[in-house]
Amino acid sequence: GENVEQHPSTLSVQEGDSAVIKCTYSDSASNYFPWYKQELGKGPQLIIDIRSNVGEKKDQRIAVTLNKTAKHFSLHITETQPEDSAVYFCADSWGKLQFGAGTQVVVTP
Amino acid sequence: DTGVSQDPRHKITKRGQNVTFRCDPISEHNRLYWYRQTLGQGPEFLTYFQNEAQLEKSRLLSDRFSAERPKGSFSTLEIQRTEQGDSAMYLCASSYLNTGELFFGEGSRLTVL
């Protein structure tokens, strides 16, 4: 995909609350949507991904939902913890990923 | 440690100098990617290799940039006649065949004075 838009750019939540990050994409052919977490001084690391034949995927406290008709997908983090504080990036495309601009998530105790 | 390793981690250079970064991917991975990341932005795709073949280059990659992966293992990214706008984090990633997940190194941070 050529263009992935991500919102919000920053997100502050109290520990224990939920966090939601949304992304929209423009390429109808996109069929793979990963989410990466980047901690300070480190490279991005995959935390969850979803393929176009599935509407939702969950892994413990994180989940991703996909709406192909509307061309958007979202990351949901429940019961947030201080170690969830990081920058989160959505991306699309297979292999050669196109990333969003990122969301700085701050979880305050 | 069998992850993706990049060298050097930090490079400070003067405008006009040439710099080279090295990436050693995870050994069984046949795809290798270079990305550039500036402060507050997501990684931007530069180029990628499948084995030793360079399959795609972004329009971001001007003629001052060149990347190689001579034996399908490690890769180098060279920037000639550096400019201040080249200051960024250069990230390398690798993946196995055409699986979705990219494994990133910790990056090489370039500062051009």
Side-chain angles (χ1 to χ4, degrees):
Chain A
E2 287 294 324
N3 191 15
V4 180
E5 294 188 0
Q6 184 171 346
H7 300 279
S9 57
T10 59
L11 181 59
S12 293
V13 295
Q14 292 275 43
E15 183 177 359
D17 287 350
S18 295
V20 181
I21 305 169
K22 296 183 179 180
C23 284
T24 59
Y25 61 97
S26 57
D27 187 351
S28 299
S30 294
N31 58 7
Y32 174 67
F33 307 93
W35 286 90
Y36 281 75
K37 176 183 181 181
Q38 187 173 27
E39 297 177 337
L40 200 62
K42 296 188 177 182
Q45 183 175 13
L46 179 73
I47 55 171
I48 195 167
D49 57 11
I50 192 169
R51 306 209 177 148
S52 59
N53 58 345
V54 178
E56 183 175 2
K57 183 177 178 182
K58 192 173 182 180
D59 182 4
Q60 299 182 339
R61 295 187 297 107
I62 59 173
V64 55
T65 59
L66 172 63
N67 183 328
K68 285 217 74 177
T69 303
K71 295 183 188 173
H72 65 71
F73 56 111
S74 299
L75 177 71
H76 305 254
I77 307 173
T78 58
E79 301 172 23
T80 53
Q81 301 169 3
E83 53 264 37
D84 295 329
S85 296
V87 180
Y88 291 81
F89 295 99
C90 61
D92 76 344
S93 299
W94 185 264
K96 183 198 81 175
L97 298 177
Q98 304 287 345
F99 286 87
T103 298
Q104 174 78 61
V105 173
V106 177
V107 180
T108 53
Chain B
D1 186 7
T2 58
V4 177
S5 63
Q6 292 188 243
D7 182 71
R9 293 290 314 279
H10 304 274
K11 178 71 177 179
I12 300 173
T13 191
K14 292 182 179 179
R15 185 163 50 97
Q17 297 295 303
N18 299 343
V19 296
T20 300
F21 301 114
R22 176 181 169 124
C23 172
D24 287 272
I26 293 171
S27 59
E28 62 267 26
H29 286 181
N30 62 349
R31 284 199 169 185
L32 185 147
Y33 304 80
W34 285 101
Y35 282 81
R36 181 176 70 185
Q37 186 175 27
T38 53
L39 198 62
Q41 297 298 317
E44 297 173 293
F45 170 78
L46 293 178
T47 188
Y48 88 97
F49 295 83
Q50 181 159 308
N51 300 314
E52 65 273 12
Q54 188 173 17
L55 295 188
E56 188 171 346
K57 293 191 288 186
S58 163
R59 58 182 175 274
L60 293 174
L61 217 64
S62 76
D63 57 5
R64 297 183 298 104
F65 288 70
S66 63
E68 295 182 340
R69 195 183 183 198
K71 296 183 180 178
S73 56
F74 73 92
S75 175
T76 58
L77 176 68
E78 181 183 17
I79 309 173
Q80 295 182 326
R81 305 181 302 281
T82 52
E83 301 173 355
Q84 287 186 327
D86 297 331
S87 295
M89 177 74 83
Y90 290 85
L91 291 165
C92 176
S94 68
S95 70
Y96 180 65
L97 287 177
N98 199 18
T99 58
E101 182 174 3
L102 268 58
F103 292 80
F104 283 87
E106 296 193 330
S108 293
R109 179 169 295 284
L110 173 65
T111 301
V112 181
L113 302 176

